[in-house]
Amino acid sequence: MTAQPKRMFDRREPRLVLQLRTGVGQAGRAFDAEIMNISTGGMLVRTSSDISQNDPIQVVLPQSGAVGARVVWSAEDFYGCSFDTPISEDELDSVRDAARFHSPFREAYGVDHETLGARIKRLRTASGFTMVELAQKVGVSKPTLWKWEGDQVRPRHETMGILAQQLGVGELELVYGAPRLGEEVASLEGDEEQGSLADIVRASRKRIAEAAGVDEVSVDIHINWGNE
């Protein structure tokens, strides 16, 4: 694909420079990608998969889930993209938090720092399905669903769409991270185990900022992952 030196957003606009693993979907396909930098207007994505400039794409962000965008230029594995609708400053904070707390030793985690299996289990529980009920609706056995939730095996591509539909999320978000509902985030104060790491960090930053009388952007939380 020939590089086209078009600007995906105003060069004067502040950008976050980072490396966040996520997923991109286009024309019914989902593939691994990394966000290299991002602003409210667009992003730079790196992926070894070919992305067409003719079809719209979706990229999974921590707060909003699948967000619409279009490729405006490309060069080798890099794609400059413009969002269909500018994202919020809160979403930029969410991306920053997700990137900051991503560890290279947690390859199976999506933008919400859950494994696929943990996400399936959480969404199943939130939907009120037993393992037997969901397995029947998807057309698999209970042991198969148990293996999915235990991250022993991944659902096949043709099954993933059915599973996502039953769980009430898009396939792209099921694979790469589903955003939390507002009430789930609010419940973190009462039970932090229900939230993802990114949710807990955001809620904690907000509470610290309110207690200290400063803006949230002035609060940084650091985790020492050790030498795992």
Side-chain angles (χ1 to χ4, degrees):
M1 189 178 295
T2 304
Q4 298 185 18
K6 297 181 180 179
R7 290 185 296 174
M8 58 181 169
F9 43 74
D10 193 331
R11 293 185 185 275
R12 297 169 296 178
E13 186 177 1
R15 308 180 194 178
L16 289 178
V17 179
L18 39 77
Q19 187 174 0
L20 175 64
R21 296 180 185 275
T22 186
V24 170
Q26 184 179 63
R29 298 182 301 121
F31 38 84
D32 297 335
E34 291 176 306
I35 297 176
M36 309 306 294
N37 66 46
I38 186 172
S39 75
T40 57
M43 62 187 172
L44 176 64
V45 173
R46 181 172 68 184
T47 178
S48 58
S49 301
D50 290 329
I51 303 179
S52 169
Q53 290 188 219
N54 299 321
D55 297 318
I57 67 171
Q58 288 185 313
V59 60
V60 177
L61 299 182
Q63 188 177 86
S64 302
V67 174
R70 285 188 176 274
V71 176
V72 294
W73 65 265
S74 64
E76 296 183 348
D77 291 342
F78 292 89
Y79 297 85
C81 305
S82 176
F83 292 126
D84 294 342
T85 302
I87 63 174
S88 67
E89 292 293 338
D90 286 343
E91 184 68 88
L92 282 181
D93 285 342
S94 299
V95 173
R96 180 184 64 179
D97 289 340
R100 178 184 298 156
F101 296 110
H102 175 80
S103 166
F105 301 101
R106 289 163 171 77
E107 300 291 345
Y109 287 66
V111 294
D112 59 2
H113 295 275
E114 271 185 320
T115 63
L116 174 60
R119 190 176 305 114
I120 292 172
K121 182 176 181 179
R122 174 175 59 80
L123 292 171
R124 174 181 62 79
T125 302
S127 299
F129 290 128
T130 65
M131 292 189 73
V132 172
E133 289 171 341
L134 182 58
Q136 290 176 343
K137 287 182 175 294
V138 178
V140 298
S141 65
K142 179 181 175 180
T144 296
L145 178 57
W146 181 80
K147 290 180 180 179
W148 291 350
E149 293 189 355
D151 288 304
Q152 297 184 32
V153 296
R154 289 170 63 92
R156 295 180 179 178
H157 175 71
E158 56 269 23
T159 308
M160 196 76 76
I162 302 173
L163 181 61
Q165 184 179 24
Q166 293 298 328
L167 293 175
V169 297
E171 181 178 350
L172 191 62
E173 293 176 17
L174 176 62
V175 178
Y176 294 101
R180 304 289 179 155
L181 298 178
E183 56 267 26
E184 291 183 41
V185 177
S187 72
L188 292 177
E189 295 185 2
D191 184 4
E192 293 187 346
E193 292 184 357
Q194 293 183 8
S196 70
L197 178 58
D199 290 331
I200 294 170
V201 168
R202 285 195 293 272
S204 298
R205 286 178 64 224
K206 181 176 181 180
R207 295 176 65 187
I208 292 171
E210 290 175 348
V214 299
D215 194 272
E216 285 184 50
V217 297
S218 301
V219 179
D220 284 325
I221 298 175
H222 300 277
I223 295 178
N224 183 1
W225 294 108
N227 297 316
E228 293 179 284

